[in-house]
Amino acid sequence: MYNNQPLFSNAIMHMINNRIQTSLLLLTFFTVIFPGPVYAQESEIVKGTIYVDDVAVETEIILKDDHVMVPSLFLKNTGASVDWYQDHQSMAFNLNSTHVTVLLEKSLINVTDSDLETQSKTLPVIPIYVEGQLFIPLECVAESLGLEVVHDEEDHVSIQNPVERETERIGSTNPKNMQVALTFDDGPESTYTPQILDILQDKEISATFFVVGKQVEVYPEIMRRIVDEGHSLGNHSYSHASFPSITTSQVFQELKKTQLAIEKIVGTKPNLLRPPYGALSRGDEELASEKGFRIVTWSVDTLDWTGASADEIFSTVSKEIEAGGITLQHNSDGNPGKLDGTIEALPRIIDDLQSRGYTFVTVESLLDEKNQNIKKESDF
């Protein structure tokens, strides 16, 4: 089907062709991340929107031989896992029991279904490397994975996964009482984390720390203090990498290395995950859920990492907090002085919310109130 039907409507194709004709750009192709014997041709990267399960996803697009090509990692938005296999010079995609392998050296695509039957097809266009990314013919790979490509009357292109999305991102809950959770990302470290712990200890409340694996290894004593003083932990990746921009195997390693680092120091492995920047593709969600994580976001973003003042942080929390809410703050010394507002605002936030009838609990407690039988540890 993908040899005969263009991915975009004629109107969109005409727009892209006009842009290429008016502004051709000879791009330098790199093979640092995905080396292989593919050849470049004159193309232009344009920004476009593709709807995945009715959600608009912005992506880079290249038109080559009348085929729309996108970075391989774009397919993670559909729920697929995406990995590069150096030994076989191939890109592998897995979705809903279908395995698709793009063999670069042979310009083939192999499709293996749930019955382990494999069919080989010639790629309609050769994948190309642009600025360190492997661009693939979108419709070819999407349809091979069993995804439906739809063109609506408004020239929108949609890709639908026939399997309904089940994984939940938790930004707040609806408890019966006035409970809220304070959370702190990016630590532990030696500047702000101890000050935050001192305040929490003085106020006799518990919070949740979403920790970075590398930081855990550097500050084991502070990690032990966090746990000893009754606070909860969550996984915030090993290196603070943006999950949508790395392969599925790399996401797995980010999660696993952090779990092992935490377990080595405090003896437990948390089942809470907050992805760096809150960024997570559907494919990443599926992996996290499979490994027993509950994905936690937030309902109140203090934007303290921007250097916001104590007054600004306090005002944000005071205005936006609701019962079951989860606040987002940080504890990182990457930019000295940047989080001074966090330290100054924290006691004021606690006093204000307590005066309004709120009580403070960990995210784990907030979630477990409604799910008493939830597993306490991930499957790593």
Side-chain angles (χ1 to χ4, degrees):
M1 179 176 176
Y2 54 77
N3 283 314
N4 298 320
Q5 181 179 346
L7 178 61
F8 285 176
S9 67
N10 290 333
I12 293 179
M13 282 294 200
H14 181 68
M15 176 196 73
I16 296 175
N17 276 317
N18 281 343
R19 290 195 62 178
I20 292 174
Q21 290 169 4
T22 58
S23 180
L24 279 175
L25 176 64
L26 181 60
L27 298 168
T28 303
F29 292 84
F30 297 94
T31 59
V32 176
I33 298 178
F34 305 115
V38 295
Y39 303 94
Q41 73 173 36
E42 288 187 339
S43 305
E44 183 189 11
I45 296 179
V46 297
K47 295 288 186 179
T49 300
I50 296 175
Y51 288 79
V52 181
D53 298 329
D54 301 320
V55 176
V57 179
E58 297 294 322
T59 184
E60 295 176 327
I61 295 170
I62 289 178
L63 181 66
K64 182 182 179 187
D65 300 336
D66 293 327
H67 288 272
V68 173
M69 308 182 75
V70 296
S72 300
L73 293 176
F74 172 83
L75 268 297
K76 290 174 65 180
N77 292 293
T78 70
S81 67
V82 180
D83 280 302
W84 168 254
Y85 292 99
Q86 176 69 25
D87 292 344
H88 301 286
Q89 290 289 288
S90 63
M91 186 65 75
F93 306 84
N94 288 281
L95 180 66
N96 305 336
S97 301
T98 299
H99 179 80
V100 171
T101 305
V102 176
L103 303 170
L104 301 186
E105 291 185 333
K106 299 180 180 180
S107 297
L108 293 175
I109 183 169
N110 289 340
V111 182
T112 304
D113 60 23
S114 57
D115 296 324
L116 300 181
E117 295 184 1
T118 301
Q119 294 182 339
S120 295
K121 312 173 186 176
T122 301
L123 287 168
V125 61
I126 298 174
I128 56 177
Y129 298 109
V130 180
E131 299 180 347
Q133 300 184 85
L134 179 65
F135 281 71
I136 56 169
L138 176 58
E139 189 163 15
C140 167
V141 178
E143 292 188 344
S144 296
L145 284 168
L147 297 165
E148 182 182 8
V149 180
V150 178
H151 310 261
D152 67 19
E153 296 178 356
E154 297 180 356
D155 293 335
H156 294 153
V157 178
S158 299
I159 298 177
Q160 295 290 332
N161 185 333
V163 177
E164 186 176 350
R165 192 174 194 150
E166 296 182 353
T167 305
E168 180 184 8
R169 300 188 191 193
I170 305 165
S172 63
T173 66
N174 294 300
K176 297 178 182 179
N177 48 39
M178 297 277 284
Q179 292 182 336
V180 294
L182 301 176
T183 70
F184 301 90
D185 286 9
D186 297 351
E189 44 71 66
S190 59
T191 300
Y192 293 107
T193 311
Q195 295 183 71
I196 291 170
L197 290 172
D198 288 344
I199 294 169
L200 297 176
Q201 185 177 50
D202 179 64
K203 299 293 184 179
E204 298 182 343
I205 67 169
S206 298
T208 304
F209 290 79
F210 287 92
V211 297
V212 173
K214 284 185 175 180
Q215 297 296 109
V216 170
E217 294 172 344
V218 176
Y219 298 99
E221 290 301 322
I222 298 178
M223 277 294 294
R224 281 188 278 269
R225 181 184 171 188
I226 291 172
V227 174
D228 289 345
E229 295 183 0
H231 306 294
S232 184
L233 297 174
N235 190 315
H236 195 48
S237 83
Y238 186 78
S239 65
H240 209 272
S242 175
F243 287 174
S245 65
I246 60 178
T247 66
T248 303
S249 291
Q250 289 170 323
V251 172
F252 176 86
Q253 289 301 318
E254 287 279 329
L255 298 177
K256 181 178 180 179
K257 289 172 69 176
T258 304
Q259 293 296 87
L260 294 177
I262 295 172
E263 183 183 32
K264 181 179 179 179
I265 294 169
V266 301
T268 60
K269 295 180 292 185
N271 69 359
L272 303 179
L273 167 65
R274 175 173 285 162
Y277 316 104
L280 208 64
S281 70
R282 181 175 175 179
D284 301 324
E285 287 180 353
E286 300 288 349
L287 172 64
S289 178
E290 176 187 323
K291 294 303 175 182
F293 284 105
R294 291 180 286 179
I295 301 168
V296 179
T297 55
W298 53 84
S299 60
V300 180
D301 186 353
T302 64
L303 297 175
D304 59 346
W305 59 272
T306 65
S309 70
D311 287 342
E312 291 171 326
I313 294 170
F314 174 80
S315 177
T316 297
V317 176
S318 181
K319 291 177 181 178
E320 298 182 13
I321 196 67
E322 293 181 350
I326 300 173
T327 69
L328 170 62
Q329 292 176 270
H330 294 80
N331 57 319
S332 171
D333 58 4
N335 293 302
K338 202 81 167 181
L339 296 179
D340 289 353
T342 293
I343 303 303
E344 184 181 339
L346 184 56
R348 296 170 56 190
I349 290 170
I350 295 171
D351 291 344
D352 175 63
L353 297 190
Q354 285 181 331
S355 71
R356 293 158 60 183
Y358 288 100
T359 59
F360 295 90
V361 297
T362 65
V363 170
E364 193 172 37
S365 296
L366 198 64
L367 302 185
D368 290 349
E369 180 181 316
K370 298 180 67 175
N371 301 283
Q372 297 296 326
N373 298 319
I374 198 75
K375 290 174 62 178
K376 299 299 182 181
E377 292 193 351
S378 75
D379 290 338
F380 280 105

